[in-house]
Amino acid sequence: MRSLRVFTYENIQTGGKEPAVHFIAGEVHLGKVVSSSGKVLGAREKEINIRGSRILIAAGGNGTANGTRLVLQEGQCRVEESDHFQIRQPGTGKVLFSARNPPVGIDRRIKRISSRHIVTNKLRSPVDEELRMAGEDISLRGNERIRMEAKRLNGSANRIGLKTTDDGSIRLSSRRVFVGSKWRSLPISSSPSLTASVEAFRVCLCQQRPKLFLVPGNRPCGAPSAICQ
């Protein structure tokens, strides 16, 4: 026990006494270390080196699958069983990195990014440069809303679907809006002559304000005044 010393010391932050184990030897070989205080400290003004083929630092769950783990193995550092983590500056507590909101900058030389799943709160291109999204099946989903702004917005696909919640809305704000193309135009409805199918609807526009509403396909545009107020 010459290389091991157990004692208590006074914590200057709390003012209480805490137990400590002091390893005097230059190297100590241990298979597992459990620290109830959550701290493993080295000697003052000296480095503490932890070596192993696989180093596992676990918090909660006693290192089981339910606990958060930091794994150091084969030159890689992995955080497992964690939905979010932060890197803070010692002393000030300033957040240097946040996994939930990571600041990722894309160099101008990178022209294409491929991924199956991208989670971000903003995606933009440099001024006067195009931003293109291409894929076999592209889905854009926002928990609150999806907002797109551009000098020109062009969407081309075999099928485009726009869905909202029951109380949601879709707004298109532009000087001109085109639906279709010069190769394939939309069929002209016969609803002005009131011969359209009763299973279809007519899209009408209020005169007092720019608001759309629907009426059955075989009826003229007419709505209660409360709708267009």
Side-chain angles (χ1 to χ4, degrees):
M1 300 294 291
R2 295 180 180 179
S3 301
L4 180 65
R5 185 174 63 181
V6 181
F7 64 97
T8 59
Y9 73 99
E10 183 178 356
N11 191 330
I12 59 176
Q13 295 180 352
T14 62
K17 292 186 178 181
E18 296 184 5
V21 179
H22 185 198
F23 296 97
I24 305 176
E27 293 186 1
V28 179
H29 300 273
L30 300 173
K32 185 176 183 180
V33 176
V34 179
S35 175
S36 59
S37 64
K39 297 180 181 179
V40 178
L41 306 176
R44 181 175 297 180
E45 298 181 356
K46 291 185 179 180
E47 294 182 352
I48 176 172
N49 296 321
I50 302 176
R51 300 185 182 93
S53 59
R54 183 173 184 266
I55 299 176
L56 176 64
I57 302 176
N62 296 325
T64 61
N66 297 327
T68 302
R69 302 186 299 270
L70 175 63
V71 182
L72 306 176
Q73 185 179 13
E74 298 179 353
Q76 296 182 355
C77 176
R78 302 195 310 272
V79 178
E80 299 180 350
E81 301 298 331
S82 177
D83 296 332
H84 175 54
F85 73 93
Q86 293 180 343
I87 300 177
R88 295 178 177 268
Q89 186 176 17
T92 62
K94 179 182 178 181
V95 178
L96 302 178
F97 176 82
S98 174
R100 185 166 296 171
N101 299 298
V104 179
I106 305 300
D107 192 272
R108 287 181 174 270
R109 293 171 294 181
I110 299 177
K111 300 300 181 182
R112 179 179 297 180
I113 298 177
S114 300
S115 176
R116 291 185 177 180
H117 192 196
I118 298 177
V119 179
T120 179
N121 60 349
K122 182 180 291 185
L123 188 64
R124 63 183 180 182
S125 64
V127 179
D128 296 332
E129 292 189 14
E130 292 184 349
L131 176 62
R132 293 187 178 184
M133 291 183 290
E136 296 182 358
D137 187 1
I138 299 178
S139 176
L140 300 178
R141 186 181 66 180
N143 293 331
E144 296 295 335
R145 66 174 179 174
I146 298 176
R147 182 175 180 177
M148 298 182 181
E149 293 183 0
K151 293 181 179 179
R152 181 181 179 184
L153 186 62
N154 183 14
S156 177
N158 293 332
R159 181 179 180 273
I160 298 178
L162 302 177
K163 297 181 180 180
T164 68
T165 56
D166 295 338
D167 57 347
S169 62
I170 299 175
R171 298 181 181 180
L172 302 177
S173 178
S174 176
R175 292 183 179 180
R176 292 182 297 178
V177 177
F178 296 92
V179 180
S181 66
K182 62 181 180 181
W183 297 281
R184 182 179 180 182
S185 59
L186 295 177
I188 299 177
S189 174
S190 59
S191 58
S193 59
L194 304 181
T195 59
S197 172
V198 294
E199 297 179 354
F201 290 94
R202 299 178 63 188
V203 180
C204 304
L205 177 65
C206 295
Q207 295 181 354
Q208 295 85 354
R209 55 178 300 188
K211 185 176 182 180
L212 300 176
F213 62 93
L214 299 176
V215 297
N218 61 344
R219 293 187 180 182
C221 287
S225 58
I227 294 181
C228 294
Q229 289 181 355

